[in-house]
Amino acid sequence: MSTLIALNADVLVTMDAQRREIRDGALVAEGPAVQWVGPTAELPHEYRRMADEGRAQVLDMRGRVLLPGLVNTHHHMYQSLTRAVPAAQDAELFSWLTNLYMLWSHLTPEMVYVSTQTAMAELMLSGCTTTSDHLYLYPNGARLDDAIAAAQQMGMRFHAARGSMSLGRSKGGLPPDAVVEEEEAILRDSLRLIQQYHDASRHAMLRVVLAPCSPFSVTRGLMRESALLARAHGVSLHTHLAENDNDVAFSREKFDMTPAQYAESLGWVGRDVWHAHCVKLDPEGIALFARTGTGVAHCPCSNMRLASGIAPVRSMRDAGVPVGLGVDGSASNDGAHMLGEARQALLLQRVGHGPAAMGAREALEIATLGGARVLNRDDIGALAPGMSADFVAFDMAAVGYAGAGHDPVAALVFCTPANVDTSVINGRVVVERGRLLTADLPVVLGRHNALAQTLFERASAGH
Ligand SMILES: [Zn+2]
């Protein structure tokens, strides 16, 4: 098994049970798992000898802050093809969606593959090592397999969410009928994906999630059936909930329930469930989520972009609700900088609830351990023996960190977010000196931009 030794980190942030921050820190990984963490001066002799004899890969982390890889709990990667679309720049959620559905109906399998590569490159360069993706449109032969293939090529730890929409406009839903699927086909494909790909083992690089899209795009029947299927196979459940006032109004009008009551009525609470946004989760909903261990993917940039509001993250955390971060789809952010998302989480809570509402270390904890808990994993989000070898390092020589040596860890959140210097996923170096090693990025971006143009041309030609 290959050994990787990271040495001399200015600070090593562990996020372990004691939240230790180790000055001049070192870490040893063997294969996919961390074996040892501590001060460089205390590195065990056997590892020192392996490093000296060239029997281990050695990373000199001098001048860098090293921390657990960040965890992204909500994304729609295909939307990287539809950033800054003029017709959707200045809209709230429902009209934003209505303006984009027809454009997305022209997606192809290659577009899903390449946009996933692009989105993952952006995430990896910004500190993320584990991500979920919620793909809920399958036009023109596109499949979740296309996103999974891209994740395997990029070397990213992936929770692939089999999204779905079944409630077209003719049945009282929001999406046009052309982009929804039959429920039987959705459930059949969900089962196929679980059987083909889901890996429940420790350090798994790929897990499958079932993820009907939202209360206004699927039926109650599909929500219930998906929950039964997920629980029969031990996979997690994910959807959108209580995103804005219109979303809550839809729930009250159609179901005569709050979004939290609706979720509970369908069996959509528990440690194996996480909901995106929850901007309008009420106190009863927060208590319910805390009691049941139901997770929340907090997406501050998207919530600001669509003017959805300020999610009650302070209240959720105080009540014990698991909260992670999500960059959300690139048509509503439209940037997917994971460390930047942690910064926005802190800033937005302060706008809503004052300067004590969130500190830098809490923001980093939400971005790492919080995300791990939301994804129902205990093998990522912290650096300690037995945890997955997922870590990133930021170079404090970047201009944005100049003068912040008083507290380099807090600087990661307070200062303008930089890209990573180093990223290691499952014991494998995937970013070195700021360069992505698993893909030829200019080639990927060239293809991505050509496909984005094709998508627009097809949509405007209306065929
Ligand atoms: Zn979303």
Side-chain angles (χ1 to χ4, degrees):
M1 203 173 280
S2 62
T3 304
L4 179 73
I5 304 175
L7 296 167
N8 308 320
D10 284 9
V11 186
L12 190 154
V13 180
T14 63
M15 290 292 167
D16 65 7
Q18 296 80 40
R19 301 292 188 272
R20 283 185 304 154
E21 293 177 5
I22 303 169
R23 295 270 159 185
D24 194 6
L27 176 153
V28 179
E30 281 184 19
V34 173
Q35 293 296 323
W36 184 90
V37 175
T40 303
E42 295 174 20
L43 184 70
H45 284 305
E46 61 196 279
Y47 294 126
R48 177 70 70 185
R49 201 160 51 237
M50 285 177 86
D52 291 346
E53 293 170 2
R55 289 186 288 117
Q57 185 176 4
V58 177
L59 302 174
D60 186 358
M61 294 285 100
R62 207 175 304 261
R64 291 158 181 82
V65 174
L66 191 151
L67 68 159
L70 310 183
V71 179
N72 178 38
T73 61
H74 189 62
H75 207 330
H76 312 288
M77 297 191 181
Y78 72 89
Q79 291 179 9
S80 303
L81 295 158
T82 56
R83 282 176 156 162
V85 171
Q89 280 179 15
D90 305 317
E92 64 74 52
L93 177 68
F94 280 27
S95 48
W96 173 86
L97 278 169
T98 309
N99 290 340
L100 286 165
Y101 280 135
M102 285 321 287
L103 185 53
W104 295 335
S105 73
H106 294 275
L107 276 176
T108 65
E110 189 193 6
M111 288 176 189
V112 171
Y113 182 85
V114 177
S115 60
T116 303
Q117 285 183 303
T118 299
M120 287 189 169
E122 188 175 16
L123 286 172
M124 289 159 82
L125 289 168
S126 65
C128 182
T129 54
T130 296
T131 187
S132 186
D133 184 46
H134 187 188
L135 180 63
Y136 53 82
L137 293 121
Y138 297 91
N140 310 307
R143 301 191 307 164
L144 192 62
D145 309 60
D146 305 315
I148 289 170
Q152 289 171 335
Q153 189 270 313
M154 296 297 287
M156 205 170 187
R157 203 179 294 282
F158 191 34
H159 284 225
R162 204 302 179 183
S164 54
M165 298 198 293
S166 65
L167 193 66
R169 208 161 288 159
S170 65
K171 292 180 183 160
L174 188 71
D177 291 356
V179 294
V180 307
E181 296 174 273
E182 295 293 332
E183 299 197 346
E184 226 180 77
I186 292 167
L187 292 165
R188 204 167 46 239
D189 193 46
S190 299
L191 178 60
R192 174 188 71 83
L193 288 159
I194 293 169
Q195 289 174 336
Q196 191 169 338
Y197 294 111
H198 182 67
D199 179 0
S201 67
R202 194 167 179 84
H203 312 306
M205 287 293 284
L206 179 59
R207 289 197 179 154
V208 172
V209 176
L210 299 191
C213 191
S214 63
F216 48 85
S217 62
V218 301
T219 65
R220 277 181 269 202
L222 184 63
M223 292 292 283
R224 280 202 194 91
E225 289 297 319
S226 296
L228 290 174
L229 184 59
R231 288 183 172 129
H233 295 272
V235 308
S236 284
L237 290 161
H238 179 47
T239 191
H240 294 94
L241 199 76
E243 183 164 348
N244 72 2
D245 289 329
N246 288 339
D247 195 358
V248 176
F250 184 96
S251 193
R252 288 204 173 277
E253 191 178 311
K254 298 278 177 175
F255 316 125
D256 195 23
M257 286 184 235
T258 65
Q261 289 166 342
Y262 174 71
E264 187 179 28
S265 74
L266 299 168
W268 273 70
V269 290
R271 293 166 58 91
D272 56 349
V273 183
W274 87 100
H275 297 277
H277 302 301
C278 298
V279 174
K280 301 291 176 181
L281 196 65
D282 58 3
E284 290 74 25
I286 292 173
L288 170 71
F289 278 31
R291 204 163 58 239
T292 53
T294 309
V296 170
H298 174 47
C299 308
C301 285
S302 172
N303 297 160
M304 287 187 269
R305 156 65 144 100
L306 298 174
S308 301
I310 303 174
V313 172
R314 181 70 275 142
S315 306
M316 291 175 188
R317 294 264 304 170
D318 289 345
V321 176
V323 179
L325 290 182
V327 297
D328 203 2
S330 296
S332 69
N333 184 328
D334 305 22
H337 198 290
M338 198 57 212
L339 186 61
E341 205 67 36
R343 182 174 193 246
Q344 294 295 357
L346 174 145
L347 296 176
L348 186 56
Q349 282 307 294
R350 290 182 175 199
V351 170
H353 310 294
M358 190 182 290
R361 284 170 172 79
E362 184 175 16
L364 288 177
E365 183 176 313
I366 292 171
T368 52
L369 278 178
R373 194 168 162 211
V374 163
L375 295 184
N376 207 11
R377 291 189 77 131
D378 61 5
D379 57 350
I380 58 171
L383 297 174
M387 300 296 284
S388 299
D390 290 4
F391 61 89
V392 295
F394 289 88
D395 185 352
M396 302 316 283
V399 64
Y401 298 129
H406 323 285
D407 188 348
V409 176
L412 293 178
V413 179
F414 281 114
C415 301
T416 301
N419 276 359
V420 294
D421 170 82
T422 303
S423 175
V424 173
I425 301 179
N426 212 38
R428 174 190 182 198
V429 180
V430 293
V431 177
E432 188 177 38
R433 301 268 179 264
R435 199 169 66 85
L436 186 66
L437 301 182
T438 55
D440 188 338
L441 193 54
V443 172
V444 171
L445 298 183
R447 188 66 196 142
H448 181 93
N449 290 337
L451 289 168
Q453 175 142 12
T454 305
L455 184 65
F456 264 73
E457 286 165 3
R458 287 194 187 150
S460 42
H463 59 71

